[in-house]
Every structure is written in C-alpha cells, then in structure tokens.
Amino acid sequence: MSRKQDLLSLMNIDISWMKNISHDEVSHTSFEDLELNSRYCDKCSLSETRNNVVFGKGSKDAKILIIGEAPGKDEDQSGEPFVGRAGKLLNEILFSMKLTRDKVYITNTVKCRPPENRNPNSDEIQSCSGFLDSQIDSISPKIIILLGKVAAESIMNTTETMASLRGKVHYYKDTKIPMLVFYHPAYLLRSPSEKRKVWDDILLMRTITDGC
Ligand code: URA
C-alpha cells in the first residue's frame, strides 16, 4: 500500500475502491509505516505541544498488549511509553508475570502527551483511535491489558468503576480478544496498599495466557 493510501486508511477513509487492495492489505498496513505516519499526525491539538509522538514499544508479535493512558513528561521527552516512575513499577509487575518489556507490546490510548498531564479528552482519544485500532489489528494479541480507568473507559466505552471492571474478562469490541483491567501503576504508586491486588489480576491473566 502506498503512503497516500496508508494515510487515507488511517483517516478511516474507505480506500477499498482503489486498485488491487484487498481487505487483508488494508488491515495489515506495515507497522513501521503506521509508526512513521503517526509522527506527522496533527489530528488533534496535542500535536502542537508534544515533543515526541509515543507510538508504542515492544514486540510486534506479542501475545500481550498493554494499553495505558497517555504519555507523561518523561515519555514525551524520550518517545517511549512508561519510562518514568510508573514505568519502573510496570517493569516490576511484568517481572512478577515472568515477562520483560521485549516480550509484550506497550502503548497508550493517545500517543501524545496532554499538557500538564491532564487526562486525554474524548476528542483526543477519538482522533487517536485509528492508530490504536491498527496496532491491535496488526499485533493481534492473545490478550489486552488495560491499565487504569482512562484506558478502560475509552476502549470499553464504559463509566463503570475500577472496582467493578477489575477481576472480570471483557472482550475487545466485537472480537474474541480477551481484555483485563488492571490498576494503573501511577495509582499503585499513590496507593501502595492496593499493590497486593495486582497479584489477583496476574493470576486471572495466567488462566487466559497459559492456554496460549
Ligand atoms: N502513564 C501512562 O499511562 N502511559 C505512559 O506511557 C506513562 C505513564
């Protein structure tokens, strides 16, 4: 697929009428092209204040896709997700799952830092959803882990509380890809007594991934 077709596809413009493009090709735009395109994205105002687009990092063949909220200051500076304090805790959580970052793929609901680390708004999440959908389509993970309320709300389109979302298996849109909601590491840093509950989340995750 050409770069122009790529961009049209990212903008959710139907390009199936274009010569020789099968659905398979449309949904399997090269991951590298997708990442490259994201660097030029100006679909929302976050592009005006970002230093770097934080597209995501990890294995494109990962069985586990982890989706956080939005890049913070450290991520905006480095261009990588979860490199700050929350990222260090995420590394520890991965370690207790016997995983390392190169075995999973980590991204966020929006790829650019919201100013002052505010939550991304629904327009920003919507503008960025084409990238996330394409990442999920391309990686085709066996399980998706949503970190925190913002990720859960935006992907599941729900206003349910974390307490009711955690500990249950959800599914990504109308697919059979299971999704679990975990506490966000930044929340766990603020509420260390909740950390022990992560172990329950990990056990639930294992019931799904052990069969993969
Ligand atoms: N918090 C997030 O949700 N994502 C990051 O990349 C960093 C902190």
Side-chain angles (χ1 to χ4, degrees), residues 68-72 75 81-82 86 108 184:
E69 179 182 319
E75 291 77 22
F82 284 96
N108 286 298
H184 193 287

Side-chain angles (χ1 to χ4, degrees), residues 54 67-72 75 80-84 86-87 106-108 147 184 186:
V54 184
I67 305 176
E69 179 182 319
E75 291 77 22
E80 287 193 22
F82 284 96
V83 291
I106 304 174
T107 188
N108 286 298
L147 295 178
H184 193 287

Side-chain angles (χ1 to χ4, degrees), residues 46-47 49-54 70-84 108 111-115 117:
L46 297 184
S47 61
T49 48
R50 73 175 175 230
N51 285 303
N52 282 295
V53 172
V54 184
K73 185 164 182 258
D74 296 321
E75 291 77 22
D76 177 59
Q77 291 295 334
S78 66
E80 287 193 22
F82 284 96
V83 291
N108 286 298
K111 314 302 185 208
C112 300
R113 180 192 183 202
N117 292 348

Side-chain angles (χ1 to χ4, degrees), residues 19-204:
K19 202 160 75 75
N20 295 335
I21 299 177
S22 66
H23 170 74
D24 215 36
E25 281 175 293
V26 173
S27 57
H28 287 90
T29 302
S30 127
F31 208 77
E32 288 69 26
D33 283 351
L34 196 64
E35 181 159 6
L36 192 63
N37 290 338
S38 75
R39 290 195 210 149
Y40 304 98
C41 179
D42 58 2
K43 280 197 202 166
C44 81
S45 61
L46 297 184
S47 61
E48 291 160 21
T49 48
R50 73 175 175 230
N51 285 303
N52 282 295
V53 172
V54 184
F55 183 72
K57 195 143 185 244
S59 165
K60 281 118 205 155
D61 301 317
K63 289 185 177 155
I64 302 176
L65 173 65
I66 299 175
I67 305 176
E69 179 182 319
K73 185 164 182 258
D74 296 321
E75 291 77 22
D76 177 59
Q77 291 295 334
S78 66
E80 287 193 22
F82 284 96
V83 291
R85 280 182 70 220
K88 294 208 170 62
L89 181 54
L90 180 59
N91 288 348
E92 286 173 29
I93 296 171
L94 287 174
F95 184 74
S96 39
M97 294 170 171
K98 300 191 173 42
L99 288 168
T100 47
R101 285 171 87 112
D102 56 335
K103 295 278 185 296
V104 299
Y105 193 87
I106 304 174
T107 188
N108 286 298
T109 52
V110 297
K111 314 302 185 208
C112 300
R113 180 192 183 202
E116 314 301 331
N117 292 348
R118 63 164 170 76
N119 287 348
N121 65 38
S122 52
D123 286 347
E124 291 155 356
I125 290 170
Q126 179 56 35
S127 301
C128 224
S129 63
F131 287 118
L132 186 61
D133 288 343
S134 300
Q135 285 175 309
I136 296 173
D137 200 26
S138 180
I139 294 169
S140 193
K142 298 283 181 244
I143 184 166
I144 297 174
I145 294 177
L146 303 175
L147 295 178
K149 198 164 161 51
V150 171
E153 276 181 355
S154 61
I155 287 156
M156 295 167 55
N157 202 13
T158 178
T159 50
E160 276 185 55
T161 60
M162 280 297 286
S164 69
L165 293 168
R166 268 188 63 250
K168 289 182 199 147
V169 182
H170 309 269
Y171 291 90
Y172 174 65
K173 294 192 174 168
D174 53 357
T175 71
K176 293 199 168 74
I177 305 175
M179 289 195 302
L180 297 181
V181 179
F182 280 24
Y183 283 128
H184 193 287
Y187 168 77
L188 295 172
L189 287 172
R190 291 192 304 272
S191 317
S193 62
E194 299 282 47
K195 277 190 195 169
R196 61 194 166 77
K197 293 193 187 158
V198 177
W199 188 241
D200 297 330
D201 296 336
I202 293 173
L203 290 180
L204 178 59

